[in-house]
Amino acid sequence: MGRIPCCEKDNVKRGQWTPEEDNKLSSYIARHGTRNWRLIPKNAGLQRCGKSCRLRWTNYLRPDLKHGEFSESEEQTIVKLHSVVGNRWSLIAAQLPGRTDNDVKNHWNTKLKKKLSGMGIDPVTHKPFSHLMAEIATTLPPPQVAHLAEAALGCFKDEMLHLLTKKRIDFQLQRSSSTPGYDVPQPAGVNTAATFVTGRTEDKDDTIQKIKLGVSRAMQEPDALPTNKPWTITSTGETSDGFARDRNTFPVKISGFQYGPPSYGNEGDGSAWSQSMCTGSTCTGGDQQGRLHEKAEEEDGEEAEGGKAARKESSMFNSDCVLWDLSDDLMNPIV
DNA sequence: AAAGCCCTCAACCGCCGTCTC
DNA sequence: TGAGACGGCGGTTGAGGGCTT
């Protein structure tokens, strides 16, 4: 079954590399290059498997590697690309000079996944959890939808409890820290996924209402839900799931949609992708965006009619805007 | 102070596609 | 043409360090 081992396991050392081993490998590769990994350990005087040498070199010793923290823009790139290509770490890493697929994978698994989850976004589909639930609801008869809603609320409660009791997160610090996206003032009645992280308990009920609204909306208008497309953002800055996010925080254009924080060139408040991270799509042209801006202003303060406005916007996006300017095989971020 | 828990990340594993003979 | 070798990739593991209780 499977391939034979690339080397005799009995004769090779495993585990952490020592500085001496690193030196041997580096100096050998500097002199001879990386032509044949099977021969490299033998010729370099290392009791290591060729594969282990290759990993050590590509993930750690390569001189062009960047070590240390991922920048905000790197994180945006990862999330942006992950929403399109899924767990194709090498593909994603190729867009980040100095980063390896292992780096990207580790960073995703340890930081970014949690970050997105904390914002109420499913890191696999890049859709808001409530939206996913609403999609599921469209396939169920009403009695089961009720059960689904109950179950979801239970899960949400658990998640909230987890977040609120997580002592390692100093919520006060986060709100006053340099991560402005977590403390952006929101219009009355507008909830954001980021507020989950701040631990503002009064938002919980509001969010539950949003989930309920999503489910009932899905039941009433299943057609309004995108099928295999990421969730959209309405002109009011509200996503199709009912969560408010500022589309202006996604100015990095990628084939027809924008992605990124204000620091990347747009006006707008706070930060942060940490507030607004999504794979959501916006319109293609600046002109169109301008129109949406006007529309957003017109609709300001109409939160009471949020559902109606959201539906209106949803249909507008579907008819007027290019949500994803990507080939079909990249359209579905669910891998 | 110490035990337990959690998080991070380097390293390993096994599968797959491509290359070579 | 097929088998073996090799490199690449994504998933998983576990050591080590920091934090909490």
Side-chain angles (χ1 to χ4, degrees), chain A residues 83-331:
Chain A
S83 71
V84 178
V85 303
N87 294 1
R88 307 280 294 278
W89 306 119
S90 57
L91 217 61
I92 296 171
Q95 307 305 315
L96 299 168
R99 301 294 188 183
T100 69
D101 53 349
N102 214 32
D103 283 339
V104 173
K105 181 171 58 182
N106 281 334
H107 192 66
W108 173 264
N109 285 328
T110 59
K111 305 268 179 62
L112 297 180
K113 255 165 87 171
K114 290 170 194 165
K115 206 167 184 176
L116 288 183
S117 293
M119 294 161 55
I121 297 170
D122 176 29
V124 178
T125 62
H126 292 256
K127 294 178 182 180
F129 289 129
S130 59
H131 189 160
L132 291 173
M133 208 180 65
E135 284 190 17
I136 295 168
T138 63
T139 67
L140 300 173
Q144 289 181 23
V145 171
H147 289 135
L148 171 68
E150 285 295 321
L153 290 176
C155 292
F156 180 75
K157 186 185 75 182
D158 292 344
E159 181 68 14
M160 279 300 297
L161 284 171
H162 178 69
L163 286 171
L164 292 173
T165 57
K166 216 170 184 313
K167 294 190 171 59
R168 293 184 60 188
I169 295 177
D170 183 338
F171 292 114
Q172 282 306 110
L173 263 181
Q174 280 217 357
R175 293 184 65 177
S176 58
S177 75
S178 59
T179 312
Y182 286 107
D183 201 20
V184 175
Q186 297 295 330
V190 175
N191 196 5
T192 71
T195 57
F196 296 173
V197 185
T198 66
R200 286 153 62 180
T201 50
E202 65 268 26
D203 291 336
K204 183 183 173 183
D205 287 342
D206 189 32
T207 307
I208 291 172
Q209 289 305 315
K210 297 285 187 187
I211 294 174
K212 286 179 177 172
L213 178 67
V215 173
S216 61
R217 194 181 296 169
M219 291 304 296
Q220 288 162 15
E221 299 186 31
D223 293 344
L225 288 168
T227 53
N228 64 342
K229 288 174 181 166
W231 43 282
T232 58
I233 304 173
T234 71
S235 69
T236 60
E238 187 172 317
T239 60
S240 55
D241 66 312
F243 287 92
R245 293 175 182 85
D246 181 0
R247 69 181 174 284
N248 293 323
T249 58
F250 300 99
V252 176
K253 279 207 152 191
I254 237 201
S255 298
F257 70 92
Q258 293 187 323
Y259 217 113
S263 57
Y264 279 77
N266 264 33
E267 85 283 1
D269 56 19
S271 95
W273 85 274
S274 53
Q275 176 197 356
S276 314
M277 180 61 68
C278 70
T279 63
S281 43
T282 63
C283 295
T284 47
D287 171 51
Q288 201 154 32
Q289 192 168 357
R291 286 193 286 118
L292 288 175
H293 241 318
E294 290 166 20
K295 205 164 167 48
E297 282 159 14
E298 285 168 24
E299 288 176 8
D300 259 351
E302 291 181 17
E303 200 52 42
E305 294 182 35
K308 198 171 76 181
R311 284 193 295 279
K312 195 163 66 178
E313 277 309 309
S314 179
S315 64
M316 186 187 85
F317 266 81
N318 287 336
S319 58
D320 290 348
C321 302
V322 178
L323 292 176
W324 290 83
D325 187 13
L326 296 164
S327 61
D328 283 344
D329 59 337
L330 294 178
M331 281 292 286

Side-chain angles (χ1 to χ4, degrees), chain A residues 64-79:
Chain A
D64 58 324
L65 286 184
K66 206 191 281 181
H67 298 285
E69 289 289 296
F70 277 72
S71 68
E72 194 168 311
S73 67
E74 284 178 315
E75 290 190 339
Q76 289 157 29
T77 303
I78 293 170
V79 175

